[in-house]
Amino acid sequence: MKIKTGKGSVTLVVLLAIWSVSAIASLPGLAVSPILGDLNKVFPKVTDLEIQMLTSLPSLLIIPFVLLSGKLSEGRDKLKILIVGLSIFFLSGVACLFARSMAWLIVISCILGVGAGMVIPLSTGLIVDYFTGDSRVRQLGYSSAINNLTLVVATAVTGYLAEVNWHLPFLVYTLPGISLALSFFLRRSRSTPEPEQSIQMRHKRIDRGKLVGLMLFYFFATYAVLAIAFYASFLVDDYKISSSFSGVLISLFFLAIMLPGLFIDRIIRALKQNVNLVSLGLVCAGLLCVGIFRDKTMLVVGALLTGFGYGVIQPVIYDKAATIAPPRSATLALSFVMAMNYLAVMICPFIMDMFRHLFHTHSDRFPFFFNAALVFALAAVTWFRRGNFTLGLDESYYKN
């Protein structure tokens, strides 16, 4: 079976290899989350700081290695970088299964963050190498969908495994072994050079102005929707709803992020330069629904609207990042943009705490109202700047 790439075709197994890299991009930190509450029992002398280090240090290391991987991809064989990153990721995951102390878990998780950081930009960089035009937009949508679906499924699985044994959730960190095995097929079927008429070929270097715009927009969008992932559980508890519902709400949020990726090319064709305006509108409406209503149904609606809006924004930003650089620098441009996701995850609680202190409030609804107001303000700007490359879709993007 052959899959069209916009500049030829690839076999199904090559496509599966590329998809498998997309599937593991969100795994770092995943295995730890279901067992955080049990680590004090497993290691009685462990401190809260050590538990925080277990979750934050790997994420902190991911960012520089995402950028390093992007930079190395300019002058070196991307597949070699991928194989090294996957090997570190996989071997660290295996090592986590045998860790017997918190100190070793922290060290191994940091090494895992290094491997994951090397792999993450290639989860989209490979798609940019193998696909172009509409085919690339479609595949970036699929990549986003696979990434978020894996996050939902793996979270459920690790939660179950954690009830059996605290070591078992780390099994999800061995999934890069599948990508490692499939990388053999990528080596056998190299990507075809970008066609001369591609918009990428018009660039001699990365358009820094557009890159900075995309980075800021992606950081803001990610920060805005993280209110669901970080603060929904506190809101549900305040509403006197069963704590298990917050898990359902967050899972539905990630499922909603997944859905637009399955038909992102059709969404772009339908909305054109209004694509980000409509997406921001959905995010704003979703955050308001969660903040205003106490009814379970409306909370679900809010989570779905927020997730769907962000699910449109994400692959569009990735595709734009690929178009502002020559082929050899596309992965580097993507690495800068993707690093914003991890930066937003790390500092979102600090930003929110700062504004809570500024407004003298500890209300559990505040994160949703405040972020909704920020999104509304950006949507208003977007209304007047729909022809702008970052906020809308300008003419150069249509020609791609």
Side-chain angles (χ1 to χ4, degrees):
M1 180 179 177
K2 294 286 187 178
I3 292 88
K4 293 181 179 179
T5 65
K7 51 182 178 180
S9 61
V10 294
T11 61
L12 179 59
V13 70
V14 169
L15 181 61
L16 291 176
I18 295 171
W19 282 355
S20 72
V21 179
S22 299
I24 64 172
S26 290
L27 290 181
L30 179 65
V32 178
S33 56
I35 63 171
L36 288 178
D38 299 327
L39 288 178
N40 284 320
K41 300 175 185 176
V42 177
F43 304 109
K45 296 181 180 180
V46 74
T47 65
D48 289 343
L49 176 61
E50 288 175 304
I51 293 177
Q52 290 170 357
M53 288 171 65
L54 184 61
T55 56
S56 61
L57 281 182
S59 297
L60 185 62
L61 283 169
I62 282 175
I63 295 174
F65 279 92
V66 163
L67 300 176
L68 177 62
S69 177
K71 183 61 179 177
L72 291 175
S73 70
E74 279 194 305
R76 290 174 174 80
D77 187 344
K78 290 186 179 71
L79 291 182
K80 288 182 180 179
I81 300 170
L82 177 67
I83 289 169
V84 171
L86 288 172
S87 299
I88 295 172
F89 199 161
F90 171 68
L91 293 174
S92 301
V94 173
C96 283
L97 294 170
F98 301 98
R100 291 291 181 269
S101 70
M102 176 60 73
W104 272 111
L105 270 179
I106 292 172
V107 171
I108 295 168
S109 295
C110 287
I111 297 172
L112 186 144
V114 170
M118 295 178 69
V119 170
I120 286 167
L122 295 171
S123 65
T124 51
L126 287 173
I127 293 174
V128 173
D129 283 349
Y130 280 85
F131 296 86
T132 193
D134 288 342
S135 296
R136 182 174 63 205
V137 175
R138 193 177 306 114
Q139 289 300 327
L140 285 170
Y142 293 156
S143 173
S144 178
I146 291 167
N147 187 301
N148 288 287
L149 180 60
T150 304
L151 185 62
V152 174
V153 174
T155 301
V157 171
T158 53
Y160 170 76
L161 292 175
E163 295 180 1
V164 180
N165 185 286
W166 72 270
H167 273 108
L168 292 181
F170 292 102
L171 280 171
V172 298
Y173 286 160
T174 63
L175 288 177
I178 298 173
S179 300
L180 196 58
L182 289 173
S183 65
F184 170 76
F185 296 99
L186 293 175
R187 187 168 291 279
R188 290 182 58 187
S189 179
R190 295 285 183 164
S191 60
T192 305
E194 196 73 10
E196 289 297 326
Q197 67 272 22
S198 169
I199 192 173
Q200 285 181 268
M201 302 304 289
R202 304 176 196 172
H203 296 281
K204 299 298 182 182
R205 61 182 64 88
I206 297 174
D207 187 324
R208 294 182 181 180
K210 289 181 178 179
L211 177 62
V212 170
L214 291 174
M215 290 170 65
L216 292 174
F217 184 38
Y218 193 35
F219 174 85
F220 174 82
T222 304
Y223 159 76
V225 303
L226 281 173
I228 301 290
F230 284 1
Y231 300 103
S233 58
F234 298 106
L235 199 65
V236 166
D237 183 61
D238 183 53
Y239 290 169
K240 309 302 181 185
I241 301 174
S242 171
S243 59
S244 62
F245 181 71
S246 63
V248 173
L249 203 62
I250 294 171
S251 295
L252 290 173
F253 166 68
F254 284 113
L255 280 173
I257 295 176
M258 176 206 76
L259 288 175
L262 300 176
F263 45 92
I264 190 65
D265 53 326
R266 281 176 277 179
I267 293 176
I268 291 174
R269 282 199 298 269
L271 298 178
K272 296 182 178 177
Q273 62 181 188
N274 293 312
V275 64
N276 282 328
L277 176 64
V278 173
S279 299
L280 289 170
L282 291 174
V283 171
C284 182
L287 291 172
L288 287 175
C289 277
V290 176
I292 293 172
F293 299 102
R294 294 175 176 265
D295 180 67
K296 284 185 178 182
T297 301
M298 293 307 297
L299 290 175
V300 167
V301 169
L304 292 175
L305 288 175
T306 305
F308 195 92
Y310 182 72
V312 174
I313 290 171
Q314 189 179 61
V316 171
I317 287 179
Y318 289 164
D319 189 55
K320 286 181 179 181
T323 67
I324 62 172
R328 66 181 178 84
S329 301
T331 301
L332 176 60
L334 282 162
S335 71
F336 276 102
V337 171
M338 297 181 80
M340 293 299 101
N341 178 77
Y342 297 92
L343 183 63
V345 170
M346 285 186 59
I347 69 175
C348 174
F350 299 102
I351 295 175
M352 192 54 65
D353 285 348
M354 179 183 70
F355 280 106
R356 272 179 159 171
H357 179 74
L358 187 65
F359 285 95
H360 305 288
T361 179
H362 294 284
S363 169
D364 291 322
R365 293 183 172 191
F366 176 79
F368 302 94
F369 290 139
F370 180 71
N371 282 9
L374 293 179
V375 173
F376 179 82
L378 183 60
V381 174
T382 304
W383 171 263
F384 296 102
R385 300 295 303 277
R386 283 170 290 173
N388 174 267
F389 180 83
T390 300
L391 298 177
L393 292 179
D394 66 7
E395 188 179 355
S396 66
Y397 189 83
Y398 287 130
K399 289 180 179 179
N400 184 24

